[in-house]
Amino acid sequence: MADTWVFDFQDGDATDKAALGGKGAALASMTQADLPVPPGFTITTDACRSYQQQSVFPDLMWKQVEEAIGRLEGLTGKEFGSSENPLLVSVRSGSAVSMPGMMDTVLNLGINEQARVGLARVTGDDQFAWDSYRRFVTMFGEIVLGVAPDRFEGAVKATLDMNGCDTPGNLPADALSGLVDRLKAIVYGQSRHEVPDDPFEQLRLTVGAVFDSWSNKRAQDYRNLNGIPHTLGTAVNVQAMVFGNSGPTSGTGVAFTRNPTTGEAHLFGEFLPDAQGEDVVAGMRTPLPIDHMAETFPEAYGQLLEIAGRLETHYGDMQDLEFTVENGKLWMLQTRSGKRTGRAAVKIAVDMAASGLIDERQALQRVSADQLEQLLHPLVDPAVEVEVIGVGLPASPGAVSGQIVLTADAAVDLSEAGTPVILVRHETNPDDFHGMVASRATLTARGGVTSHAAVVARGMGKSCVVGCSNMRVDFEKGLVRFDNVVLAAGDWITVDGNTGRVMAGQVATIEPETDEDFDILMGWADSHRKLGVRANADTPEDASEARRLGAQGIGLCRTEHMFFGEERIAAMREMIMAPNEVARREALAKLEPYQTADFEGIFTAMDGFPVTIRLLDPPLHEFLPNEQDLARELTDLKLRLRLLNGLDDIDRLLEEIHDREVVIAQVQRLAEENPMLGHRGCRLGLTYPEVTEMQARALFTAAVRCVDRGITVMPEVMVPLVGFEPELRTQAELIRSVAEEVFLYHGLRVEFLVGTMVELPRACLRADELATVAEFFSFGTNDLTQMTLGMSRDDSSRFLPGYVQRGVLPADPFQTLDIAGVGELVRIGVERGRGQRADMKIGVCGEHGGDAASIAFCHDVGLDYVSCSTYRVPVARLAAAHAALA
């Protein structure tokens, strides 16, 4: 019903995650399966969305909440606010898409002085009752009334010191009583609001605060990072409290049905005796491995194993479980699909398919493109000597180096300035999220592998080490101590999330090798995808690596990258400085052997696969020295001239001055106000056809030599920046003419194609005309995006992040294709090109060729292949399979 805002766990539709949120749906499912779940109810995401729009609870919602509390009292035999047998509840968020740690939770709600007395009477433990009250006041003050957590720290520390205790949970009852009074005073002093005694008022304010937490900064940052819609809203789950901190026969834990780092099929997690859940997640105490629970709580552990197996089979996926043991009895608080590393995702998918729990198609869809990319994270080079200064728990893989930063804001500031950083904290909390996003890795002194830092880092695929127990952080002095080693903010360290090691300085890393599970998954992906996957590669070495990673050819070989070696750039500059065609041809003759050798190496590496070679594209001034550098050199030479007396030195300096002046004059002559729209691409080939001739001759000579050696070559010659059919026709005729000369000379022919890089809006609109000449199209979406949006990919980085954050754009258009604008031009180009030439081969070779969302569009629009950077080839293969299976 549209006006039903609240569902008891036993009545909710366990399949309706959109309304109940993931947590609410899972609690309903477990309750209805007769698992040991504390009773409770869920306030729907519809209520949250209404609240977000109207700033008040929707009609009838609060009445339904009060009625649900009444039913909860009946189920538990307890009464809200009672001094005899009080009902305390937890209030937790839960959106349709898991966002661990991003929104708010309040525990022990319903406690006041009267209920505290009742709790002490029922449990026979006055200390426990006071500790529960302390926890509630702290959480309510922070979450609901907005008191900064550090405001409580002084009072807590003073009480601990006075009583010689290390944690608040160890304080005696009389000390806790005084501490609660001080915490209440701090709450009032900071917020000008009392902590209410009325449990229903506590609940009303807390439900509003959890709804509000949907819009907090860390939650919005998380959704932006993970592409989660901001319109979903969160449900609120109100559940009877069970107490893991009620004594030595109690405890709390987090477990995964498989190892979320490696994917191994065994229960993995942590357990903390005599503690509540936030003690584990917040990293306030370092917990024990879950195996220790088998020794201290064997009956509950056996039940947990049985339930874990049932839940994994039911959901067909690795589960993340939260549970509490209260006086020896196991209670399940949550199950959800567990966050995992890329390596674990692949192993779990392959193993579950092998066991028949899921099929091959499901296995492919269980591994995201981002997770697969994590498999390519670097490892510490084992041949390098390292100085290990600390060892913690390996929470998320990858070995990275960076400069130490001690705050999330500092991480963002330095990262935006281009400095690689590693965020170092005692432990992280949700307010550190933006700093973790900006950092290459996170390192904490406390916490376990299910702490906030570990879960968030794994979800982002960033390296993380937690629980580095010999590390001490002095935020005031900006120092980090590892036993006798003292480092400062700004010093370099290396964090190895594969082993848990922390090393001083920058350490060399190597790319990891893939395993059999990876190969199996990639084989499945290749059998399902329709799109071909090629690589952008400019050297024989890059081509060989691309082939190893599964590339089916080269989609973009940028010939200009071959001119930047020391000898080559000298010949290239000689060609640019040449006063006439004869001198230009002489310089080009020096470049031709280099080009021929490079092409021959690439053809050899890609034996049997197509290689698309783009002719010279950038403006010529890019190959000349920087004008400002030349001007400084000229000034220095002139100053030295004034100080010299020897005629020989004067003559030499005058000659150098003349040379610099000639180069400066040429740089100034070639300079353009907007070189991206200037004399480049096919325009250079039309102005200087001898450049095109040289490149074509080198290309076909290399092809003939390879064929003569038994290598199968499939050259595709690509003319860049074409906007008009005559531009392409002129260049194509020249290319084919040179090809005939080479073939006649060698007495051997090679099949080849001539096509164009479609990177101008006009080329898309007039694709039918271009297709009368071109035998293939390759969309250069980098430049096409610039030309269509009127945005420089270099300069727009200053404002594009703000555009994405404010929702002006759904994503950075240079990372994910602007489907509505640029994509529409691609669609037009495909339709009109194939309307003229039905068998037209069409691909994409911009950076979008390695982006999963853009690859899905390429599949939908009917392209033949995508081409991406070498190390994204496996990602593109998987994304292409996802597109085919969607």
Side-chain angles (χ1 to χ4, degrees):
M1 294 174 58
D3 56 354
T4 301
W5 308 103
V6 176
F7 292 90
D8 292 345
F9 293 162
Q10 63 266 31
D11 299 327
D13 181 354
T15 65
D16 193 0
K17 290 174 66 173
L20 300 181
K23 185 175 296 182
L27 289 167
S29 178
M30 289 194 294
T31 299
Q32 292 160 26
D34 292 326
L35 296 182
V37 176
F41 57 88
T42 299
I43 307 171
T44 66
T45 59
D46 296 320
C48 177
R49 287 190 292 272
S50 175
Y51 174 85
Q52 294 276 331
Q53 293 165 6
Q54 306 296 331
S55 298
V56 294
F57 294 149
D59 292 342
L60 300 179
M61 188 205 88
W62 188 247
K63 181 175 184 294
Q64 292 172 22
V65 168
E66 292 176 324
E67 292 169 350
I69 288 290
R71 293 191 295 274
L72 190 54
E73 289 175 326
L75 286 169
T76 61
K78 300 178 180 181
E79 184 181 348
F80 217 26
S82 166
S83 62
E84 299 298 324
N85 190 11
L87 170 66
L88 303 188
V89 298
S90 63
V91 183
R92 291 183 170 94
S93 61
S95 68
V97 180
S98 177
M99 296 172 53
M102 295 302 114
M103 292 175 289
D104 292 331
T105 294
V106 173
L107 304 181
N108 303 322
L109 189 143
I111 197 168
N112 52 25
E113 179 55 30
Q114 182 174 296
R116 184 202 62 75
V117 172
L119 187 62
R121 180 180 296 115
V122 170
T123 62
D125 190 340
D126 196 35
Q127 192 272 351
F128 161 72
W130 276 112
D131 188 47
S132 298
Y133 203 179
R134 171 196 65 84
R135 291 171 182 267
F136 170 71
V137 170
T138 302
M139 295 186 84
F140 188 90
E142 179 183 342
I143 301 303
V144 180
L145 298 180
V147 178
D150 58 6
R151 297 297 181 180
F152 298 122
E153 290 175 2
V156 173
K157 186 176 186 303
T159 306
L160 291 173
D161 292 345
M162 189 181 304
N163 290 271
C165 295
D166 56 351
T167 65
N170 294 331
L171 288 168
D174 58 343
L176 283 166
S177 170
L179 179 58
V180 167
D181 288 341
R182 283 191 287 279
L183 295 175
K184 283 183 175 182
I186 290 169
V187 169
Y188 182 77
Q190 293 296 314
S191 69
R192 312 314 294 174
H193 290 282
E194 302 276 5
V195 176
D197 284 331
D198 180 357
F200 282 98
E201 180 66 5
Q202 294 175 5
L203 182 59
R204 185 184 67 81
L205 292 172
T206 300
V207 170
V210 174
F211 280 161
D212 287 334
S213 72
W214 174 257
S215 300
N216 69 35
K217 185 179 185 301
R218 64 179 183 268
Q220 293 188 59
D221 287 346
Y222 187 89
R223 293 196 294 273
N224 286 334
L225 180 70
N226 292 281
I228 300 171
H230 293 288
T231 55
L232 296 179
T234 182
V236 175
N237 299 286
V238 180
Q239 190 172 24
M241 281 293 301
V242 287
F243 298 98
N245 62 325
S246 57
T249 59
S250 301
T252 189
V254 176
F256 296 84
T257 56
R258 300 186 186 223
N259 188 310
T261 299
T262 67
E264 293 172 302
H266 62 80
L267 194 67
F268 176 88
E270 295 169 326
F271 182 74
L272 195 56
D274 197 15
Q276 283 194 336
E278 76 269 21
D279 297 335
V280 177
V281 175
M284 296 169 64
R285 291 163 56 189
T286 299
L288 302 171
I290 194 73
D291 295 347
H292 283 248
M293 185 181 167
E295 302 169 10
T296 52
F297 299 88
E299 186 175 340
Y301 182 74
Q303 190 180 8
L304 178 65
L305 283 176
E306 187 267 333
I307 289 172
R310 285 176 60 186
L311 289 171
E312 183 173 276
T313 300
H314 174 73
Y315 288 104
D317 196 8
M318 183 262 278
Q319 294 297 289
D320 173 1
L321 312 172
E322 292 182 17
F323 64 93
T324 285
V325 178
E326 182 184 53
N327 299 321
K329 178 175 174 53
L330 176 70
W331 293 97
M332 301 303 298
L333 304 182
Q334 175 169 284
T335 186
R336 62 188 173 195
S337 291
K339 300 289 184 184
R340 65 206 74 179
T341 65
R343 185 170 300 282
V346 171
K347 180 168 180 57
I348 290 169
V350 171
D351 285 354
M352 285 188 170
S355 70
L357 189 59
I358 59 177
D359 62 29
E360 183 180 301
R361 296 164 65 93
Q362 290 173 306
L364 280 168
Q365 292 169 317
R366 287 288 168 79
V367 183
S368 71
D370 288 341
Q371 285 174 323
L372 191 73
E373 191 173 22
Q374 291 177 29
L375 289 181
L376 306 176
H377 281 307
L379 306 167
V380 171
D381 187 343
V384 174
E385 288 189 14
V386 298
E387 179 188 358
V388 177
I389 55 177
V391 178
L393 301 173
S396 189
V400 296
S401 300
Q403 292 183 14
I404 294 172
V405 292
L406 301 182
T407 69
D409 289 341
V412 171
D413 291 343
L414 284 173
S415 177
E416 288 179 349
T419 302
V421 297
I422 291 176
L423 180 62
V424 178
R425 305 285 287 161
H426 289 314
E427 72 270 343
T428 64
N429 62 57
D431 291 330
D432 291 317
F433 178 71
H434 61 296
M436 295 180 69
V437 171
S439 301
R440 300 186 71 191
T442 300
L443 171 64
T444 68
R446 296 196 289 261
V449 294
T450 54
S451 64
H452 175 270
V455 171
V456 172
R458 272 200 300 271
M460 291 190 294
K462 296 202 173 194
S463 177
C464 181
V465 170
V466 298
C468 184
S469 58
N470 74 321
M471 182 176 80
R472 300 288 181 270
V473 184
D474 187 335
F475 292 98
E476 210 170 281
K477 296 180 179 178
L479 299 177
V480 183
R481 298 177 184 272
F482 298 87
D483 296 327
N484 296 325
V485 177
V486 180
L487 301 176
D491 287 343
W492 285 85
I493 58 171
T494 298
V495 168
D496 185 357
N498 305 298
T499 65
R501 294 180 300 168
V502 182
M503 292 151 279
Q506 295 175 265
V507 175
T509 59
I510 57 172
E511 294 300 322
E513 294 183 1
T514 52
D515 58 16
E516 184 181 0
D517 290 328
F518 174 88
D519 294 337
I520 291 171
L521 190 81
M522 287 291 94
W524 293 342
D526 292 340
S527 69
H528 285 279
R529 63 182 169 90
K530 309 300 181 188
L531 279 169
V533 176
R534 302 188 190 182
N536 302 336
D538 310 319
T539 67
E541 294 76 20
D542 288 347
S544 296
E545 181 65 7
R547 183 163 187 154
R548 185 186 71 80
L549 292 172
Q552 298 165 293
I554 302 298
L556 176 62
C557 175
R558 293 155 289 209
T559 55
E560 60 271 9
H561 289 185
M562 300 174 176
F563 295 141
F564 285 107
E566 187 174 342
E567 294 181 2
R568 303 178 185 206
I569 195 67
M572 187 66 178
R573 288 173 177 171
E574 182 182 337
M575 186 274 291
I576 295 169
M577 299 295 296
N580 52 52
E581 182 181 337
V582 172
R584 261 192 308 278
R585 288 186 180 276
E586 288 178 356
L588 288 167
K590 297 177 183 178
L591 286 171
E592 188 171 329
Y594 297 122
Q595 286 262 275
T596 303
D598 286 339
F599 291 146
E600 191 171 350
I602 290 172
F603 286 142
T604 300
M606 280 291 150
D607 184 5
F609 285 128
V611 176
T612 304
I613 295 173
R614 183 182 71 186
L615 300 181
L616 190 63
D617 183 45
L620 294 178
H621 74 84
E622 288 193 9
F623 298 97
L624 294 175
N626 179 274
E627 183 180 356
Q628 291 181 336
D629 292 340
L630 287 168
R632 279 194 292 270
E633 291 175 12
L634 183 61
T635 301
D636 288 343
L637 288 169
K638 289 180 177 180
L639 286 172
R640 286 166 57 192
L641 182 64
R642 294 178 184 176
L643 301 174
L644 287 178
N645 295 316
L647 291 178
D648 290 340
D649 288 336
I650 290 175
D651 289 342
R652 180 178 54 78
L653 280 175
L654 286 172
E655 185 176 347
E656 287 187 40
I657 289 169
H658 172 72
D659 291 343
R660 294 297 191 285
E661 289 174 337
V662 170
V663 175
I664 289 173
Q666 184 72 327
V667 169
Q668 292 172 340
R669 185 178 69 81
L670 293 173
E672 297 174 295
E673 290 296 326
N674 193 339
M676 289 303 299
L677 300 178
H679 195 199
R680 53 173 284 230
C682 68
R683 301 160 192 172
L684 282 173
L686 265 69
T687 305
Y688 306 118
E690 55 271 21
V691 175
T692 301
E693 287 178 25
M694 182 276 288
Q695 291 199 290
R697 188 163 47 250
L699 187 159
F700 293 120
T701 299
V704 167
R705 289 178 181 174
C706 285
V707 170
D708 195 46
R709 292 191 288 117
I711 292 166
T712 301
V713 297
M714 303 169 66
E716 298 175 351
V717 189
M718 185 159 67
V719 181
L721 208 72
V722 168
F724 303 91
E725 185 270 348
E727 291 177 319
L728 179 59
R729 185 174 297 279
T730 301
Q731 288 284 280
E733 289 173 351
L734 179 58
I735 291 164
R736 292 188 174 111
S737 172
V738 172
E740 285 301 314
E741 291 176 9
V742 173
F743 298 160
L744 284 172
Y745 178 81
H746 290 275
L748 196 157
R749 303 189 67 81
V750 176
E751 293 297 320
F752 67 95
L753 301 177
V754 177
T756 185
M757 194 169 187
V758 181
E759 48 195 327
L760 299 177
R762 190 183 194 280
C764 297
L765 298 174
R766 308 307 296 173
D768 51 343
E769 294 177 3
L770 299 182
T772 62
V773 180
E775 295 169 301
F776 71 89
F777 285 166
S778 180
F779 285 94
T781 51
N782 295 345
D783 275 0
L784 185 58
T785 296
Q786 289 194 110
M787 305 291 188
T788 303
L789 302 185
M791 290 182 182
S792 161
R793 60 184 167 186
D794 298 319
D795 299 325
S796 61
S797 61
R798 300 175 185 175
F799 62 85
L800 272 179
Y803 267 42
V804 174
Q805 289 172 3
R806 291 193 292 272
V808 177
L809 293 173
D812 183 335
F814 293 104
Q815 295 179 16
T816 297
L817 194 70
D818 166 35
I819 292 173
V822 179
E824 186 63 18
L825 285 172
V826 171
R827 193 184 301 276
I828 290 170
V830 171
E831 292 172 354
R832 295 184 181 178
R834 287 191 174 143
Q836 178 64 241
R837 189 187 293 266
D839 62 348
M840 171 80 75
K841 182 190 293 187
I842 304 179
V844 63
C845 62
E847 287 301 314
H848 301 99
D851 172 71
S854 306
I855 290 170
F857 169 78
C858 293
H859 171 89
D860 292 341
V861 83
L863 298 193
D864 294 297
Y865 67 87
V866 296
S867 188
C868 59
S869 59
T870 295
Y871 288 102
R872 290 195 67 83
V873 166
V875 175
R877 291 163 64 194
L878 180 64
H882 286 168
L885 293 171

